[in-house]
Amino acid sequence: MTTHHFHAVIWIDHKEARVFHFNPEDVERTVVHPDHPAKQVHHKPEDPHYLKAAMDAISDAGAILVIGPAHTKTELVKYIEQHNPALKAKIAAVETVDHPTDGQIVAHARKYFKAEDRVTPQTK
């Protein structure tokens, strides 16, 4: 049985989406890959199946931080806005973050939400 975590962070680029559902003591990791990763990043829009899989991976979170190095993070947010407006409302922030380790992603998100939770209560 999996533990429900209120917070999620997704680090996404054109090759993979690393999703972490977490609380102060625990973290669960999921990785989503596109069926056919784009070779030429700058001119090809993201695969909608990839964006849907990434969206589905964060769909049960109460508050979401979306991070990544380039345009894929904004493509994901636009996709969520079009296909799941209720989930879009749960996105706390979108930030540019290069290529951190999994530990750095979780530490960054925990620090972000620790500050955010002081002003925003955890309600679903």
Side-chain angles (χ1 to χ4, degrees):
M1 184 175 148
T2 59
T3 306
H4 179 267
H5 298 101
F6 185 80
H7 296 112
V9 58
I10 181 168
W11 180 94
I12 188 167
D13 72 1
H14 67 285
K15 293 183 200 168
E16 70 179 359
R18 289 185 276 162
V19 179
F20 302 88
H21 290 84
F22 64 95
N23 61 32
E25 300 83 34
D26 185 48
V27 64
E28 291 179 19
R29 177 182 188 259
T30 305
V31 178
V32 177
H33 294 278
D35 292 334
H36 306 288
K39 304 240 184 326
Q40 184 70 318
V41 183
H42 303 291
H43 303 293
K44 185 175 185 293
E46 292 304 324
D47 173 10
H49 299 288
Y50 175 47
L51 296 176
K52 181 181 183 329
M55 177 182 75
D56 291 348
I58 57 173
S59 65
D60 64 346
I64 304 158
L65 179 60
V66 179
I67 62 175
H71 74 283
T72 307
K73 66 185 176 298
T74 53
E75 296 257 338
L76 174 63
V77 172
K78 287 179 196 171
Y79 184 89
I80 291 170
E81 193 169 45
Q82 292 171 352
H83 295 89
N84 191 341
L87 184 62
K88 167 68 168 74
K90 295 178 182 182
I91 296 174
V94 180
E95 298 180 350
T96 300
V97 177
D98 195 22
H99 287 84
T101 65
D102 289 356
Q104 289 170 326
I105 292 169
V106 173
H108 177 77
R110 281 185 172 140
K111 182 178 178 184
Y112 174 85
F113 282 117
K114 185 175 182 182
E116 180 69 13
D117 288 345
R118 288 190 192 122
V119 294
T120 307
Q122 291 186 24
T123 59
K124 272 200 156 195

